[in-house]
């Protein structure tokens, strides 16, 4: 499968494997990291950001593609929408059918609220499903939530909102127990002890996994629970605007049937945004590990309704996306591969960095190797570095790859690459939206009765997230959002529904001189445009 040029370099990797396996590359100093990030991390490329001219974050910079959507035109003309009709009525309306939305639905249902999920694709079409390596929780005797907090706070450049990070780490052990009780098949030893490993930037082994399809296993379990409880799921139906009442409280959404284009009205006492990430916006032309619907819709809905965003200028590029073969370009190669001992190696067979630096540092380091240092391996469309997977079995014994990372084995096997015998080519891929909607500790956004959970939230992780803290946050904040939205719904008495905020936003746009005909939320990626089979009606 590899070209002759690639093979020549792969031979150097094989020759140096034993020595590289024994080598402990040093960790970078804080100064070295800062310099590396400033020069090579995509978040620092000024020309790729634009200043927002309107809305709650006016004056702040966000990626060009996001700025266009946040300041875009609504998909509806408020005067055309008949708000007197009611197609759906519920206590808690959850927008998004991934891990956060499902966790929220389960807890709101448990609290006795009437709940409904709407999702533009199907329940489980979400980044949760795509997560591979695991979920963090400090539940071993040598660990504690305080140590987990320090790892995550440092890894996120000391920018996380303390009250959010505190909830994340303190509620983590219970979240794992909850998932275990629901039926998630975590990796365990023969005596039932959970197997845990390191991730980048963790000082303790606290990554719980279900082989290398942890997210799929968690999503499978949550989806079963949603169905078992009989919670209604309205699929192929996108939320295209929030509805607020006269006093500005969230009380529903304008929906659009993705197949027929029909406009529907959902009324609710509280609303939860759990719409996930933005990888399919392909910032700076990066490929993505994200699912098909990751187009930042929740951020657009909330922003237009007046909710502030936090750290929307910071994205996570997972260091190891597939660089070759091109059929799976950008797909995730889980960090667990490095947790199990594989190292990153350059063209000349050198282990050029510690394999478990934090993700922003690792990604920037790979980009430097492929650009300034000229030590990347040509892949046809670009460059990549080697991830020396055979090292895993050299260190841990034969059979480890099949047992611990079978999905990786299968993914490359399809293209004639046996990762037990040959290294693989990787390059950073757009993986996670570090920023999102600003919330308080109870998961409420700046708009009253509008709650947020999962990747659409900003501030839990600061300006960089550690592996396994995202599967954790969808559970912790999903559950909390569900409980709090249900409690609030008990006493909420929504006033007259209105789309005044949509009209005001359009006025603001005009006054600021924003022209352009971009409509948002985007709903589906751009490469569907022009193809009637995939176009959102
Ligand atoms: O938290 C993640 O993003 C994750 C577990 C990814 C991975 O490398 O597997």
């Amino acid at each position: 499968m590899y070209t002759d040029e690639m093979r020549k370099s792969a031979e150097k990797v094989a020759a140096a494997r034993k020595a590289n396996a024994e080598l402990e590359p040093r960790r970078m100093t804080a100064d070295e990291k800062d310099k590396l990030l400033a020069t090579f991390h995509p978040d620092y490329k000024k020309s790729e950001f634009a200043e927002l001219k309107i809305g709650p974050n006016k004056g702040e910079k966000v990626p060009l593609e996001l700025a266009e959507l946040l300041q875009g035109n609504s998909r509806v003309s408020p005067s055309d929408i008949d708000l007197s009709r009611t197609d759906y009525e519920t206590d808690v309306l959850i927008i998004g059918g991934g891990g956060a939305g499902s966790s929220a639905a389960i807890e709101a249902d448990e609290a006795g609220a009437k709940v409904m999920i709407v999702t533009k694709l199907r329940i489980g079409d979400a980044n949760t499903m795509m997560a591979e390596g695991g979920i963090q929780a400090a539940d071993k005797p040598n660990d504690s939530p305080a140590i987990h907090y320090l790892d995550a706070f440092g890894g996120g450049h000391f920018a996380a909102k303390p009250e959010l990070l505190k909830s994340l780490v303190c509620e983590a052990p219970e979240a794992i127990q909850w998932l275990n009780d629901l039926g998630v098949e975590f990796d365990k030893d023969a005596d039932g002890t959970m197997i845990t490993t390191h991730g980048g930037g963790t000082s303790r082994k606290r990554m719980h996994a279900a082989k290398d399809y942890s997210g799929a296993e968690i999503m499978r379990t949550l989806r079963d629970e949603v169905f078992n409880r009989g919670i209604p799921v309205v699929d192929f139906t996108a939320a295209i605007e929030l509805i607020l009442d006269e006093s500005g409280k969230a009380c529903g959404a304008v929906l659009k049937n993705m197949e027929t284009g029909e406009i529907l009205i959902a009324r609710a006492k509280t609303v939860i945004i759990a719409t996930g990430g933005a990888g399919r916006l392909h910032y700076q032309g990066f490929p993505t590990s994200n699912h098909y619907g990751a187009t930042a819709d929740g951020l657009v809905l909330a922003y237009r309704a007046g909710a502030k965003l936090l750290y929307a200028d910071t994205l996570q590029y997972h260091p190891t996306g597939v660089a070759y073969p091109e059929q799976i370009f950008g797909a995730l190669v889980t960090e667990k591969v490095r947790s199990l001992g594989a190292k990153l190696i350059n063209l000349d067979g050198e282990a050029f960095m510690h394999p478990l630096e934090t993700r922003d540092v690792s990604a920037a380091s790979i980009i430097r190797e492929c650009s300034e240092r000229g030590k990347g391996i040509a892949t046809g469309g670009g460059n990549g570095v080697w991830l020396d997977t055979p090292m895993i079995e050299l260190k841990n014994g034969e059979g480890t790859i099949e047992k611990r990372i079978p999905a990786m084995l299968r993914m490359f096997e399809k293209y004639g690459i046996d990762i037990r015998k040959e290294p693989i080519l990787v390059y950073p891929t757009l993986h996670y939206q570090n920023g999102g909607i600003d919330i308080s500790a109870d998961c409420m956004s700046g708009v009253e009765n509008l709650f947020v959970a999962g990747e659409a939230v900003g501030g839990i992780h600061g300006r960089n997230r550690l592996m396994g803290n995202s599967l954790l946050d969808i559970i912790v904040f999903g559950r909390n959002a569900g409980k709090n939205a249900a409690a609030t719904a008990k006493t909420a008495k929504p006033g007259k529904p209105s789309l005044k905020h949509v009209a005001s936003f359009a006025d603001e746009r005009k006054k600021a001189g924003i022209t352009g005909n971009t409509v948002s939320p985007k709903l589906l990626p751009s490469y569907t445009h022009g193809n009637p089979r995939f176009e959102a009606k």
Side-chain angles (χ1 to χ4, degrees), residues 232-311:
V233 179
V234 181
D235 57 14
F236 296 112
T237 301
I240 55 171
E241 286 302 346
L242 293 171
I243 301 173
L244 307 184
D245 73 5
E246 295 149 310
S247 58
K249 293 182 182 149
C251 64
V254 179
L255 310 178
K256 185 166 191 161
N257 182 305
M258 296 287 280
E259 289 167 312
T260 62
E262 189 186 1
I263 296 289
L264 302 155
I265 302 296
R267 293 176 186 281
K269 292 178 179 155
T270 56
V271 179
I272 301 177
I273 286 183
T275 48
R280 292 283 164 172
L281 299 184
H282 295 286
Y283 297 135
Q284 303 191 30
F286 271 82
T288 187
S289 57
N290 282 188
H291 87 108
Y292 192 63
T295 50
D297 299 347
L299 272 55
V300 172
L301 297 179
Y303 196 69
R304 210 171 272 156
K308 212 168 182 309
L309 307 181
L310 185 63
Y311 305 146

Side-chain angles (χ1 to χ4, degrees), residues 325-499:
E326 73 172 334
Q327 293 94 324
I328 46 171
F329 185 52
L332 181 63
V333 173
T334 175
E335 193 164 317
K336 193 170 174 187
V337 173
R338 282 173 288 140
S339 306
L340 290 172
K343 290 198 175 114
L344 291 157
I345 312 285
N346 68 18
L347 180 71
D348 296 331
E350 297 155 347
F352 59 93
M353 58 170 287
H354 191 286
L356 288 176
E357 294 283 10
T358 53
R359 282 189 177 163
D360 51 355
V361 170
S362 302
S365 190
I366 293 170
I367 293 170
R368 174 174 64 185
E369 207 64 16
C370 292
S371 54
E372 187 188 70
R373 290 192 173 159
K375 295 212 176 188
I377 298 94
T379 57
N383 283 296
V385 296
W386 294 110
L387 181 56
D388 195 9
T389 44
M391 231 181 233
I392 294 175
E393 302 213 332
L394 194 65
K395 285 185 174 176
N396 305 286
E398 234 174 81
T400 307
I401 287 181
E402 170 77 64
K403 189 163 174 216
R404 306 289 298 278
I405 47 171
M408 293 297 99
L409 183 64
R410 307 272 176 272
M411 179 164 75
F412 283 93
E413 213 168 45
K414 281 190 195 148
Y415 302 97
I417 297 167
D418 183 346
I419 69 169
R420 293 168 297 197
K421 300 195 174 80
E422 298 175 288
I424 55 179
L425 285 163
V426 295
Y427 192 79
T429 186
L430 183 54
H431 183 61
Y432 186 77
Q433 169 180 268
N434 294 318
I437 304 162
D438 193 9
I439 58 166
S440 42
D442 61 359
C443 300
M444 206 190 282
S445 70
V447 172
E448 230 179 305
N449 294 355
L450 178 64
F451 296 80
V452 192
E455 197 171 337
V457 174
I460 301 172
H461 310 282
R463 295 189 154 269
N464 176 59
R465 175 180 65 79
L466 300 189
M467 170 192 184
N469 275 350
S470 171
L471 278 179
L472 176 60
D473 93 42
I474 61 163
I475 303 300
V476 168
F477 290 91
R479 294 180 71 194
N480 289 346
K483 288 177 198 172
N484 295 334
T488 305
K490 274 194 182 141
T491 53
K493 291 197 172 36
K496 197 165 171 241
S498 152
L499 288 173

Side-chain angles (χ1 to χ4, degrees), residues 98-107 128 134-136 167-168 171-180 182 184 186 214-215 217-219 221-223 443 452-455 460-461 468-483:
S102 301
S103 300
I106 293 165
E107 288 294 359
T128 301
I135 170 167
Q136 289 203 43
S167 298
L168 183 82
E171 294 170 38
E174 208 234 310
I176 295 288
Q177 198 53 52
W178 185 69
L179 290 172
N180 191 60
L182 283 178
V184 171
F186 285 112
S214 310
E217 170 60 6
I218 289 173
M219 192 66 240
T221 309
L222 294 173
R223 181 168 51 191
C443 300
V452 192
E455 197 171 337
I460 301 172
H461 310 282
N469 275 350
S470 171
L471 278 179
L472 176 60
D473 93 42
I474 61 163
I475 303 300
V476 168
F477 290 91
R479 294 180 71 194
N480 289 346
K483 288 177 198 172

